Amino acid sequence: MCLPLLWRKLLSSNLPDAEIVEFCRFLEPTPAEAAMREAATQRVRQAIIDVFPTASVQVFGSYVTGLYLPTSDIDLVVMDSRAADIKIALYAVSRKLHELGMARGTQVVAKAKVPIIKFIEHESNVNFDISFDVPNGPIAAGFVRDLMDTLPPMKPLVLVLKIFLQQRGFNEVYQGGIGSYALFVMVAAFLLVHPSRHPHRAGSKRAGVLEKSMGVLLVDFLRLFGRTLNSEDVGISCTNGGYFFNKLDMDKAQLARPYMLCVEDPADADNDLSKGSYNFPKVKQAWDFAYQQLTADSEASESLLERIIRVDTVLTDRPRPKDPPVPEQLEQHIRDVMHHRSKRSRHEGAHKQHRQRHREKEKDGDSSRHKDKKQRRERSLEFADPDLDAPQDRERQRSHRSSSKEEERGHKREGSHRSSSKDDARSHKRHKEKDRDKDRDHKLVKHHRSDHHRSSKNRSSSDRHQPKHIRFSEHE
C-alpha cells in the first residue's frame, strides 16, 4: 500500500470535506488532457484567422480560470472582426470549419442575447462556443481569478455544483439552465454573506472568519438557494462585499415571470446573468432534493457525495491523477498512526486467542464431568437387584425385536407379490415358537414372583425393613 493512499484513508474520516477535496483533485486535468485542449484551441483559432485575418481570438470562461470539468466546453471570442453582421460572421466560420473537416454537430444560436456558434472539434471531441465582439468575457475571467484568491473554498464548491447541474441538464443558458459565470457569482455572493463572516448576524460562530468546512458550506448553499431564498422578491450581488436587494426597488423584476432568479453582473450592474434561466424552478427543486439527501441519516462508511453526484463513465474512464507529495511531518504522523493500529490489532488478536482457549478448556471440563457422571450411574446400577427387573427387561426386548421383525416382514410382503408358500409356512412356524417362548417366560416370571412373596411372608418384621440386598438374619 502506497503512502498517499494511506493519507487519503486518514482524510476520509472528515467526510464530506475529504470527499470534496479528493473529488475536485480527481477532476483536475491531466497533462495529456491539457495538451489536447491547447492543441484543439490552436486549430480552431487558425481556422477563424483564415476567415477574419485582422481579428484576434481570445479564450475566456472556465478554461482560463481552471474551473472546467472534463466535459466542459472552451469559450472563444473573436474581437476586432470588423463584421457588419454577427449572424453572417457565425455562418462564415461554420462553413470554414466544415470545409476543413474540423467540426461536427454544428449549431448556430443566432437568436440568443449573445449569438454564438456551438460545435464539437472532430479530433479532440471537445465542445467549443464562439462569439463575436463581446468584451465582457475576458474581463470577467480576470475578476474570477482575483475572487478565487480571496475565497479559497470557491473552486471546490463551484466544481461540485457545476457537475451537479451538468448531470441534470441545467448547465446551458439557452436551454433555461444556469451558466458557469452566473453560478460563480452566486457562490461568491453566498460566501461573502455567509453568517460566519458576520458576527453580529444570527447563526455566526466565529467573528469574521469564513467557515472552513466545505461540507457545511455546500449544505448551506443548497439550503439557501434550494429552500429559503425568496427569489420572487430578492436578488443577489457579489459586489461591495455581497448583499441581497429588492428586485422591485432595483427595477430588475420580471413581471411576466416573477419566479426568476436575479443575479447581478459585477461588471455591469444593469445586466442580469440569470435572465434567461427560465428553468430555475426545476433547478431549485434539484438543489432542495440534494440538501435533503446530504442531511439525511447515513452510515459511517457511506459516501455522502455519491448521493448527489452520479459516477458515470465520463468520470470513471479518465486516468487518475498522480498522488501529491506527502510532507515529511505528515508522513511520520501516518506511520505512527499505522504502528499504533497494528499494535492494537495484535493485542486484540492475542486476547481473542486467549478467550478461545478458555472456552475450549471449559468445554473439555464439561465433557469430562458428563463422562464421570455417566460412569457413576453405571456403577450404581451394578448394585441393583436383577431378580425382578431382568425377566421383564428380557420380555420387553424380545417383544421389541419381534415387533420390529414383523414390521420388516410386513414391508417385504407389501413390496413382493410372488412370495412362496414354503416361506409362509416357515414364518408361521417361527411365530408359533415365539408365542410359546413368551408363554413360558411369563409363567417363569409369575412363579418367581409367587416364591418371592411367600419368602417375604416367612420373614420377621425386622427383616422386612432391611434392604433386600443387605440381610442379617439366619434365614437369608
Side-chain angles (χ1 to χ4, degrees):
M1 184 182 294
C2 62
L3 191 57
L5 182 59
L6 298 180
W7 188 11
R8 290 198 297 271
K9 285 191 173 183
L10 288 177
L11 290 175
S12 64
S13 61
N14 297 324
L15 295 177
D17 289 7
E19 279 192 90
I20 297 175
V21 172
E22 184 66 14
F23 180 69
C24 294
R25 194 177 68 84
F26 175 73
L27 293 178
E28 291 180 357
T30 61
E33 290 175 337
M36 179 187 64
R37 283 179 171 262
E38 182 62 29
T41 303
Q42 293 299 331
R43 289 192 294 268
V44 174
R45 178 184 280 113
Q46 185 60 44
I48 297 173
I49 295 298
D50 292 343
V51 180
F52 301 97
T54 61
S56 64
V57 182
Q58 301 181 19
V59 185
F60 69 98
S62 59
Y63 181 58
V64 176
T65 58
L67 295 174
Y68 66 94
L69 303 175
T71 56
S72 295
D73 53 18
I74 298 177
D75 299 309
L76 299 178
V77 58
V78 183
M79 303 297 295
D80 302 327
S81 64
R82 299 179 183 178
D85 192 341
I86 300 299
K87 296 180 182 180
I88 296 176
L90 292 175
Y91 282 108
V93 173
S94 176
R95 286 194 300 269
K96 182 64 176 180
L97 293 173
H98 280 284
E99 290 175 3
L100 298 175
M102 296 176 57
R104 58 185 173 86
T106 306
Q107 182 182 4
V108 178
V109 186
K111 295 183 179 181
K113 182 180 179 180
V114 179
I116 60 173
I117 175 175
K118 301 174 69 69
F119 65 94
I120 301 174
E121 206 268 335
H122 183 73
E123 184 174 345
S124 62
N125 289 327
V126 176
N127 292 273
F128 278 84
D129 290 352
I130 301 176
S131 59
F132 276 77
D133 298 325
V134 181
N136 293 340
I139 296 174
F143 171 77
V144 169
R145 285 194 294 265
D146 294 339
L147 203 55
M148 286 175 58
D149 295 336
T150 306
L151 302 171
M154 175 77 67
K155 183 175 181 178
L157 289 179
V158 171
L159 289 176
V160 171
L161 292 171
K162 279 188 68 173
I163 199 168
F164 177 86
L165 295 177
Q166 185 187 69
Q167 291 182 346
R168 290 157 179 81
F170 295 142
N171 62 317
E172 294 290 351
V173 179
Y174 74 96
Q175 293 179 346
I178 298 178
S180 299
Y181 187 48
L183 179 64
F184 176 85
V185 174
M186 292 171 65
V187 174
F190 160 74
L191 294 176
L192 291 172
V193 301
H194 195 267
S196 61
R197 291 172 54 90
H198 304 279
H200 61 278
R201 296 183 182 178
S204 178
K205 298 180 180 179
R206 291 174 293 182
V209 179
L210 179 62
E211 174 66 49
K212 294 183 179 180
S213 173
M214 284 175 288
V216 173
L217 293 175
L218 177 61
V219 171
D220 287 347
F221 179 90
L222 296 173
R223 180 176 60 225
L224 174 62
F225 289 98
R227 176 167 294 196
T228 61
L229 181 65
N230 181 14
S231 59
E232 294 186 2
D233 300 328
V234 176
I236 190 167
S237 174
C238 66
T239 60
N240 300 324
Y243 63 94
F244 297 99
F245 58 85
N246 191 299
K247 293 164 62 174
L248 291 176
D249 295 342
M250 301 290 291
D251 196 19
K252 294 183 178 181
Q254 301 185 38
L255 300 180
R257 296 182 292 183
Y259 56 85
M260 293 288 290
L261 180 67
C262 181
V263 180
E264 183 182 276
D265 187 353
D268 184 4
D270 296 330
N271 183 27
D272 184 3
L273 297 175
S274 60
K275 187 175 182 179
S277 303
Y278 55 84
N279 274 331
F280 177 71
K282 295 182 180 180
V283 176
K284 187 175 182 180
Q285 291 178 0
W287 280 341
D288 184 38
F289 175 76
Y291 167 72
Q292 296 179 40
Q293 289 293 311
L294 292 180
T295 55
D297 295 338
S298 62
E299 298 180 357
S301 59
E302 183 181 359
S303 171
L304 295 180
L305 198 59
E306 194 174 357
R307 291 183 174 185
I308 62 173
I309 301 297
R310 184 175 64 253
V311 183
D312 51 18
T313 56
V314 177
L315 299 178
T316 56
D317 292 346
R318 295 178 65 248
R320 289 187 60 87
K322 294 182 179 180
D323 294 318
V326 184
E328 184 178 355
Q329 294 180 353
L330 180 59
E331 180 179 351
Q332 184 61 36
H333 174 68
I334 293 173
R335 296 189 184 280
D336 294 341
V337 171
M338 297 307 297
H339 175 71
H340 176 70
R341 290 181 180 177
S342 61
K343 184 178 180 181
R344 184 175 59 185
S345 62
R346 289 196 301 269
H347 178 72
E348 292 177 353
H351 188 60
K352 184 178 180 181
Q353 292 178 0
H354 176 71
R355 290 198 304 268
Q356 183 67 21
R357 288 195 297 268
H358 183 67
R359 284 195 295 267
E360 290 177 356
K361 288 182 180 180
E362 289 183 348
K363 186 176 180 181
D364 295 340
D366 294 339
S367 61
S368 62
R369 286 194 296 271
H370 179 71
K371 186 176 181 180
D372 295 341
K373 185 177 180 180
K374 184 178 179 181
Q375 291 177 354
R376 287 195 300 270
R377 185 171 62 252
E378 291 176 353
R379 284 198 298 269
S380 64
L381 293 175
E382 294 178 359
F383 296 96
D385 190 359
D387 295 339
L388 296 177
D389 298 335
Q392 296 177 1
D393 293 339
R394 285 196 297 272
E395 183 179 359
R396 282 195 298 270
Q397 292 175 0
R398 287 186 186 127
S399 62
H400 178 70
R401 285 196 298 269
S402 61
S403 62
S404 62
K405 290 181 179 179
E406 288 176 1
E407 290 178 359
E408 292 178 359
R409 285 194 296 271
H411 288 301
K412 290 180 181 180
R413 285 196 298 272
E414 291 176 0
S416 175
H417 299 284
R418 296 180 179 181
S419 299
S420 62
S421 59
K422 188 175 181 179
D423 293 337
D424 294 340
R426 289 178 179 175
S427 63
H428 181 68
K429 184 177 180 180
R430 284 195 296 271
H431 256 302
K432 291 179 68 177
E433 291 177 355
K434 289 184 179 296
D435 292 340
R436 285 198 299 270
D437 292 340
K438 288 181 180 179
D439 294 340
R440 186 170 57 252
D441 293 339
H442 182 68
K443 290 178 181 180
L444 291 174
V445 170
K446 187 175 181 181
H447 179 70
H448 181 76
R449 288 180 176 176
S450 61
D451 292 344
H452 181 75
H453 181 68
R454 284 194 298 271
S455 62
S456 63
K457 282 183 178 181
N458 296 329
R459 284 181 295 177
S460 62
S461 59
S462 60
D463 293 338
R464 290 174 190 169
H465 293 287
Q466 296 294 333
K468 47 187 177 180
H469 61 282
I470 303 175
R471 295 176 182 174
F472 300 95
S473 64
E474 296 176 356
H475 304 284
E476 189 174 12

